Amino acid sequence: MKSANVNSKYLIPILTAICLGAVVTPIMNSMVSVFLPVMYAEFDVSTAEMGLMKTSYMLAGIVFMLPAVKVVEKLGYKKSFLLGAAVFSILLLLSAFTPNYPYLLTVRALTGFFIVFVQITGLAIIKCIFAPEQQGFAIGIYTAGMSIASFIGPLFGGVLTEFLDWRVNFLVTIPFLMLSCVLLYFSLRGKEFYGKKTGSDWGGYVLFGCMTFCLMNGLADFNDPFAVWFIAAGILFLAGFIICERKVKTPALNLQLFSKNKHFTRASAALLLSYCATTGITDIISLYLQYIGKLTPTETSIIFLLQPAIQVIGSPIVGKLADKMETKHLTVSGMGIIMLGALFLSCTGWLPIPPVIIVLTGFGLIGVGVVLFSAPNTKLVMGSVSREDAATASGLVAVLRKIGGLISVAVSMKVLSLGLAGAGEGAESAFMAGMQGAMLVCAAFAFAGMLFSWFKERKPSESEENGESSGGNGT
């Protein structure tokens, strides 16, 4: 395995460290979903306050993403990863000994901010240390690690909550973070990678924060009477952000990444649409299996394990393929198969096939599609920017994942609710009609993503092949 800047014997330990840091977020999020009912009962939390547990964490991560990117570029990718992982560990420890709900919300918001440093730097370090012909495989391993979290998160969360205490969930991920810090520190001793060291654009940070805050609150629940106003305000802040960023000398976000780099723009749009196409499907099918199919939550979870299982096995293989062939063929095929999976799920209850078989087949197709799309597209996003812009690109990948997921859930649930609007005695048939509409919308997102993926990738320049992009050399 080749390296652009470090001894090749350290590549596996470094990749292991990055993956250990990356899996903590999905593991922790899935654990939180499991123990929320127990925690709410203990603290006697009202219905209005329930959503704050997740939104405070997610909002902090997105609203402060751009300031965090600037800190990472100046401090260095390795030091930022270590800082984020260390502080995140301390905050997890504080969360385990929470005395009340407001205290926990405050700590969760801080956690959402500091975990951003780990999320931003993971892919950026991969770009800096792996040669271009090895980055696809490394990103495939990274993606597989994220998928493994879908296995162990709910399992650990359920067992720990049932047999010990829900607070223990915050403690079990600390060893992952500590091990990742030790591996990264000793494997990259004497090495550091930096981004562009430019000034800060505080006006841009404020506008971006206001934009993401409004858009996320508006997308979180389309049925909220204030949702339209939040989205409208978010669009206005977006317009203001773009105008201001074009005028300042040191913008918070380099908009030339989008205006002058068509490969980055299209790959980023395809990434957003992939999450729009897939995230909402899980929530809708979960409702169907439990309320219409009468399956237990455990039985439903077992069915949902099929997709991450496929991703764990397939992501490294496809990542290696992405190093040897044009990524367009993989990403277009992936989005096409996701579309077919959503279309097949829309036939649930309408075809003379047992619904469970349809669901398993649909999720299997979506799993294969995600495998073919995810690692190659992420490689294209990161490969279309220089190393000095790697932190920005990595941060945008994280933001697009979250926004795409919100759009998917919001639109899917809205379509489902429209189908249920006239439900009376035929509530089940109304649900099925709404679910079919939601699946068709997800298929439409996948089709749009397939179109954005249809472009010829840029071949790496000679300097990139040799790992000599500006701003990223180890020191």
Side-chain angles (χ1 to χ4, degrees), residues 436-465:
Q436 183 182 40
M439 295 302 104
L440 292 175
V441 169
C442 290
F445 280 132
F447 179 73
M450 186 168 61
L451 294 180
F452 273 102
S453 297
W454 188 258
F455 63 93
K456 185 175 178 60
E457 67 177 298
R458 176 179 63 89
K459 292 186 179 297
S461 65
E462 184 178 348
S463 62
E464 285 177 319
E465 291 285 358

mmCIF file of all heavy atoms in Angstrom, residues 436-465:
data_model
loop_
_atom_site.group_PDB
_atom_site.id
_atom_site.type_symbol
_atom_site.label_atom_id
_atom_site.label_comp_id
_atom_site.label_asym_id
_atom_site.label_seq_id
_atom_site.Cartn_x
_atom_site.Cartn_y
_atom_site.Cartn_z
ATOM 1 N N GLN A 436 -46.765 4.224 -0.715
ATOM 2 C CA GLN A 436 -46.399 4.084 -2.117
ATOM 3 C C GLN A 436 -45.930 5.419 -2.688
ATOM 4 O O GLN A 436 -44.925 5.493 -3.404
ATOM 5 C CB GLN A 436 -47.582 3.553 -2.921
ATOM 6 C CG GLN A 436 -47.258 3.315 -4.399
ATOM 7 C CD GLN A 436 -48.464 2.843 -5.181
ATOM 8 O OE1 GLN A 436 -49.577 3.332 -4.974
ATOM 9 N NE2 GLN A 436 -48.263 1.892 -6.079
ATOM 10 N N GLY A 437 -46.660 6.487 -2.363
ATOM 11 C CA GLY A 437 -46.262 7.808 -2.829
ATOM 12 C C GLY A 437 -44.898 8.216 -2.299
ATOM 13 O O GLY A 437 -44.073 8.780 -3.032
ATOM 14 N N ALA A 438 -44.634 7.914 -1.018
ATOM 15 C CA ALA A 438 -43.340 8.259 -0.421
ATOM 16 C C ALA A 438 -42.200 7.509 -1.099
ATOM 17 O O ALA A 438 -41.125 8.065 -1.352
ATOM 18 C CB ALA A 438 -43.366 7.950 1.078
ATOM 19 N N MET A 439 -42.424 6.220 -1.407
ATOM 20 C CA MET A 439 -41.382 5.439 -2.083
ATOM 21 C C MET A 439 -41.114 5.979 -3.487
ATOM 22 O O MET A 439 -39.968 5.993 -3.953
ATOM 23 C CB MET A 439 -41.791 3.961 -2.168
ATOM 24 C CG MET A 439 -41.909 3.248 -0.824
ATOM 25 S SD MET A 439 -40.391 3.264 0.161
ATOM 26 C CE MET A 439 -40.804 4.520 1.378
ATOM 27 N N LEU A 440 -42.167 6.424 -4.162
ATOM 28 C CA LEU A 440 -41.992 6.982 -5.506
ATOM 29 C C LEU A 440 -41.205 8.290 -5.460
ATOM 30 O O LEU A 440 -40.386 8.567 -6.347
ATOM 31 C CB LEU A 440 -43.364 7.202 -6.164
ATOM 32 C CG LEU A 440 -44.143 5.924 -6.519
ATOM 33 C CD1 LEU A 440 -45.527 6.282 -7.051
ATOM 34 C CD2 LEU A 440 -43.381 5.093 -7.555
ATOM 35 N N VAL A 441 -41.434 9.082 -4.416
ATOM 36 C CA VAL A 441 -40.669 10.320 -4.253
ATOM 37 C C VAL A 441 -39.192 9.995 -4.036
ATOM 38 O O VAL A 441 -38.300 10.631 -4.618
ATOM 39 C CB VAL A 441 -41.226 11.148 -3.077
ATOM 40 C CG1 VAL A 441 -40.272 12.284 -2.726
ATOM 41 C CG2 VAL A 441 -42.594 11.709 -3.419
ATOM 42 N N CYS A 442 -38.910 8.994 -3.193
ATOM 43 C CA CYS A 442 -37.517 8.581 -2.956
ATOM 44 C C CYS A 442 -36.877 8.065 -4.249
ATOM 45 O O CYS A 442 -35.699 8.330 -4.516
ATOM 46 C CB CYS A 442 -37.471 7.504 -1.872
ATOM 47 S SG CYS A 442 -37.864 8.125 -0.211
ATOM 48 N N ALA A 443 -37.662 7.344 -5.050
ATOM 49 C CA ALA A 443 -37.149 6.870 -6.342
ATOM 50 C C ALA A 443 -36.820 8.049 -7.256
ATOM 51 O O ALA A 443 -35.832 8.015 -8.003
ATOM 52 C CB ALA A 443 -38.168 5.948 -7.007
ATOM 53 N N ALA A 444 -37.640 9.103 -7.191
ATOM 54 C CA ALA A 444 -37.389 10.299 -8.000
ATOM 55 C C ALA A 444 -36.091 10.986 -7.574
ATOM 56 O O ALA A 444 -35.309 11.457 -8.407
ATOM 57 C CB ALA A 444 -38.563 11.267 -7.885
ATOM 58 N N PHE A 445 -35.847 11.045 -6.250
ATOM 59 C CA PHE A 445 -34.578 11.594 -5.753
ATOM 60 C C PHE A 445 -33.400 10.785 -6.305
ATOM 61 O O PHE A 445 -32.377 11.346 -6.722
ATOM 62 C CB PHE A 445 -34.539 11.558 -4.225
ATOM 63 C CG PHE A 445 -35.285 12.689 -3.564
ATOM 64 C CD1 PHE A 445 -36.181 12.443 -2.536
ATOM 65 C CD2 PHE A 445 -35.060 14.004 -3.936
ATOM 66 C CE1 PHE A 445 -36.856 13.469 -1.910
ATOM 67 C CE2 PHE A 445 -35.732 15.060 -3.321
ATOM 68 C CZ PHE A 445 -36.640 14.779 -2.303
ATOM 69 N N ALA A 446 -33.542 9.461 -6.302
ATOM 70 C CA ALA A 446 -32.463 8.600 -6.799
ATOM 71 C C ALA A 446 -32.231 8.820 -8.288
ATOM 72 O O ALA A 446 -31.084 8.831 -8.756
ATOM 73 C CB ALA A 446 -32.802 7.136 -6.517
ATOM 74 N N PHE A 447 -33.312 8.999 -9.045
ATOM 75 C CA PHE A 447 -33.170 9.248 -10.479
ATOM 76 C C PHE A 447 -32.427 10.564 -10.724
ATOM 77 O O PHE A 447 -31.546 10.640 -11.590
ATOM 78 C CB PHE A 447 -34.550 9.296 -11.145
ATOM 79 C CG PHE A 447 -34.501 9.585 -12.624
ATOM 80 C CD1 PHE A 447 -34.061 8.620 -13.517
ATOM 81 C CD2 PHE A 447 -34.879 10.824 -13.113
ATOM 82 C CE1 PHE A 447 -34.003 8.882 -14.882
ATOM 83 C CE2 PHE A 447 -34.835 11.098 -14.471
ATOM 84 C CZ PHE A 447 -34.392 10.132 -15.360
ATOM 85 N N ALA A 448 -32.763 11.598 -9.941
ATOM 86 C CA ALA A 448 -32.055 12.879 -10.066
ATOM 87 C C ALA A 448 -30.580 12.704 -9.716
ATOM 88 O O ALA A 448 -29.694 13.265 -10.377
ATOM 89 C CB ALA A 448 -32.697 13.928 -9.165
ATOM 90 N N GLY A 449 -30.292 11.913 -8.670
ATOM 91 C CA GLY A 449 -28.908 11.653 -8.305
ATOM 92 C C GLY A 449 -28.155 10.912 -9.393
ATOM 93 O O GLY A 449 -26.960 11.150 -9.615
ATOM 94 N N MET A 450 -28.860 10.036 -10.088
ATOM 95 C CA MET A 450 -28.244 9.294 -11.189
ATOM 96 C C MET A 450 -27.843 10.249 -12.314
ATOM 97 O O MET A 450 -26.772 10.108 -12.923
ATOM 98 C CB MET A 450 -29.223 8.237 -11.700
ATOM 99 C CG MET A 450 -28.650 7.298 -12.746
ATOM 100 S SD MET A 450 -29.722 5.872 -13.056
ATOM 101 C CE MET A 450 -31.210 6.681 -13.632
ATOM 102 N N LEU A 451 -28.673 11.244 -12.569
ATOM 103 C CA LEU A 451 -28.354 12.223 -13.609
ATOM 104 C C LEU A 451 -27.133 13.054 -13.235
ATOM 105 O O LEU A 451 -26.261 13.330 -14.071
ATOM 106 C CB LEU A 451 -29.565 13.133 -13.853
ATOM 107 C CG LEU A 451 -30.821 12.476 -14.440
ATOM 108 C CD1 LEU A 451 -31.923 13.506 -14.614
ATOM 109 C CD2 LEU A 451 -30.509 11.789 -15.767
ATOM 110 N N PHE A 452 -27.060 13.472 -11.970
ATOM 111 C CA PHE A 452 -25.915 14.268 -11.522
ATOM 112 C C PHE A 452 -24.623 13.449 -11.548
ATOM 113 O O PHE A 452 -23.531 13.999 -11.687
ATOM 114 C CB PHE A 452 -26.155 14.809 -10.107
ATOM 115 C CG PHE A 452 -26.898 16.111 -10.084
ATOM 116 C CD1 PHE A 452 -28.246 16.146 -9.774
ATOM 117 C CD2 PHE A 452 -26.260 17.297 -10.374
ATOM 118 C CE1 PHE A 452 -28.950 17.344 -9.741
ATOM 119 C CE2 PHE A 452 -26.934 18.508 -10.352
ATOM 120 C CZ PHE A 452 -28.290 18.533 -10.036
ATOM 121 N N SER A 453 -24.763 12.131 -11.379
ATOM 122 C CA SER A 453 -23.580 11.275 -11.382
ATOM 123 C C SER A 453 -23.042 11.026 -12.792
ATOM 124 O O SER A 453 -21.941 10.516 -12.953
ATOM 125 C CB SER A 453 -23.906 9.918 -10.722
ATOM 126 O OG SER A 453 -24.253 10.086 -9.371
ATOM 127 N N TRP A 454 -23.852 11.372 -13.796
ATOM 128 C CA TRP A 454 -23.482 11.058 -15.166
ATOM 129 C C TRP A 454 -22.556 12.144 -15.730
ATOM 130 O O TRP A 454 -22.954 13.020 -16.475
ATOM 131 C CB TRP A 454 -24.715 10.920 -16.044
ATOM 132 C CG TRP A 454 -24.389 10.410 -17.424
ATOM 133 C CD1 TRP A 454 -24.309 11.130 -18.568
ATOM 134 C CD2 TRP A 454 -24.075 9.069 -17.790
ATOM 135 N NE1 TRP A 454 -23.964 10.339 -19.629
ATOM 136 C CE2 TRP A 454 -23.816 9.047 -19.173
ATOM 137 C CE3 TRP A 454 -23.986 7.876 -17.077
ATOM 138 C CZ2 TRP A 454 -23.475 7.889 -19.852
ATOM 139 C CZ3 TRP A 454 -23.646 6.725 -17.746
ATOM 140 C CH2 TRP A 454 -23.409 6.740 -19.130
ATOM 141 N N PHE A 455 -21.314 12.116 -15.372
ATOM 142 C CA PHE A 455 -20.323 13.023 -15.935
ATOM 143 C C PHE A 455 -18.973 12.330 -15.903
ATOM 144 O O PHE A 455 -18.750 11.408 -15.126
ATOM 145 C CB PHE A 455 -20.246 14.350 -15.176
ATOM 146 C CG PHE A 455 -19.810 14.203 -13.741
ATOM 147 C CD1 PHE A 455 -18.480 14.320 -13.389
ATOM 148 C CD2 PHE A 455 -20.743 13.943 -12.753
ATOM 149 C CE1 PHE A 455 -18.077 14.191 -12.075
ATOM 150 C CE2 PHE A 455 -20.348 13.812 -11.426
ATOM 151 C CZ PHE A 455 -19.022 13.939 -11.089
ATOM 152 N N LYS A 456 -18.078 12.794 -16.750
ATOM 153 C CA LYS A 456 -16.749 12.177 -16.828
ATOM 154 C C LYS A 456 -15.884 12.730 -15.728
ATOM 155 O O LYS A 456 -15.744 13.942 -15.582
ATOM 156 C CB LYS A 456 -16.107 12.455 -18.192
ATOM 157 C CG LYS A 456 -14.769 11.753 -18.393
ATOM 158 C CD LYS A 456 -14.279 11.980 -19.802
ATOM 159 C CE LYS A 456 -12.928 11.324 -20.025
ATOM 160 N NZ LYS A 456 -12.947 9.881 -19.827
ATOM 161 N N GLU A 457 -15.283 11.853 -14.928
ATOM 162 C CA GLU A 457 -14.454 12.282 -13.810
ATOM 163 C C GLU A 457 -13.153 12.901 -14.310
ATOM 164 O O GLU A 457 -12.675 12.602 -15.387
ATOM 165 C CB GLU A 457 -14.139 11.109 -12.884
ATOM 166 C CG GLU A 457 -13.257 10.058 -13.505
ATOM 167 C CD GLU A 457 -12.923 8.954 -12.536
ATOM 168 O OE1 GLU A 457 -12.287 9.253 -11.517
ATOM 169 O OE2 GLU A 457 -13.285 7.807 -12.801
ATOM 170 N N ARG A 458 -12.623 13.773 -13.471
ATOM 171 C CA ARG A 458 -11.338 14.401 -13.781
ATOM 172 C C ARG A 458 -10.196 13.456 -13.444
ATOM 173 O O ARG A 458 -10.153 12.851 -12.386
ATOM 174 C CB ARG A 458 -11.174 15.673 -12.927
ATOM 175 C CG ARG A 458 -9.841 16.354 -13.090
ATOM 176 C CD ARG A 458 -9.811 17.596 -12.210
ATOM 177 N NE ARG A 458 -9.919 17.237 -10.807
ATOM 178 C CZ ARG A 458 -8.888 16.959 -10.035
ATOM 179 N NH1 ARG A 458 -7.659 16.976 -10.537
ATOM 180 N NH2 ARG A 458 -9.053 16.664 -8.759
ATOM 181 N N LYS A 459 -9.291 13.329 -14.365
ATOM 182 C CA LYS A 459 -8.109 12.501 -14.082
ATOM 183 C C LYS A 459 -7.158 13.269 -13.176
ATOM 184 O O LYS A 459 -6.944 14.463 -13.355
ATOM 185 C CB LYS A 459 -7.385 12.134 -15.382
ATOM 186 C CG LYS A 459 -8.192 11.193 -16.264
ATOM 187 C CD LYS A 459 -7.388 10.760 -17.451
ATOM 188 C CE LYS A 459 -8.179 9.801 -18.315
ATOM 189 N NZ LYS A 459 -8.509 8.565 -17.607
ATOM 190 N N PRO A 460 -6.558 12.609 -12.158
ATOM 191 C CA PRO A 460 -5.638 13.299 -11.263
ATOM 192 C C PRO A 460 -4.442 13.852 -12.015
ATOM 193 O O PRO A 460 -3.940 13.246 -12.954
ATOM 194 C CB PRO A 460 -5.213 12.197 -10.278
ATOM 195 C CG PRO A 460 -6.251 11.133 -10.402
ATOM 196 C CD PRO A 460 -6.716 11.200 -11.827
ATOM 197 N N SER A 461 -4.021 15.027 -11.577
ATOM 198 C CA SER A 461 -2.826 15.613 -12.185
ATOM 199 C C SER A 461 -1.588 14.866 -11.696
ATOM 200 O O SER A 461 -1.622 14.103 -10.749
ATOM 201 C CB SER A 461 -2.714 17.096 -11.785
ATOM 202 O OG SER A 461 -2.511 17.209 -10.397
ATOM 203 N N GLU A 462 -0.502 15.106 -12.343
ATOM 204 C CA GLU A 462 0.732 14.410 -11.978
ATOM 205 C C GLU A 462 1.148 14.731 -10.558
ATOM 206 O O GLU A 462 1.616 13.873 -9.820
ATOM 207 C CB GLU A 462 1.841 14.802 -12.957
ATOM 208 C CG GLU A 462 3.144 14.033 -12.713
ATOM 209 C CD GLU A 462 4.201 14.391 -13.728
ATOM 210 O OE1 GLU A 462 3.850 15.041 -14.737
ATOM 211 O OE2 GLU A 462 5.357 14.017 -13.514
ATOM 212 N N SER A 463 0.956 15.999 -10.147
ATOM 213 C CA SER A 463 1.330 16.362 -8.784
ATOM 214 C C SER A 463 0.483 15.635 -7.770
ATOM 215 O O SER A 463 0.952 15.250 -6.704
ATOM 216 C CB SER A 463 1.190 17.881 -8.585
ATOM 217 O OG SER A 463 -0.150 18.284 -8.770
ATOM 218 N N GLU A 464 -0.813 15.429 -8.083
ATOM 219 C CA GLU A 464 -1.686 14.701 -7.163
ATOM 220 C C GLU A 464 -1.276 13.243 -7.091
ATOM 221 O O GLU A 464 -1.326 12.617 -6.035
ATOM 222 C CB GLU A 464 -3.140 14.828 -7.609
ATOM 223 C CG GLU A 464 -3.732 16.192 -7.319
ATOM 224 C CD GLU A 464 -5.152 16.314 -7.843
ATOM 225 O OE1 GLU A 464 -5.417 15.822 -8.956
ATOM 226 O OE2 GLU A 464 -5.981 16.882 -7.154
ATOM 227 N N GLU A 465 -0.889 12.663 -8.229
ATOM 228 C CA GLU A 465 -0.475 11.276 -8.223
ATOM 229 C C GLU A 465 0.715 11.052 -7.296
ATOM 230 O O GLU A 465 0.854 10.022 -6.656
ATOM 231 C CB GLU A 465 -0.092 10.841 -9.656
ATOM 232 C CG GLU A 465 -1.259 10.751 -10.627
ATOM 233 C CD GLU A 465 -2.103 9.512 -10.381
ATOM 234 O OE1 GLU A 465 -1.774 8.709 -9.490
ATOM 235 O OE2 GLU A 465 -3.099 9.340 -11.089
#
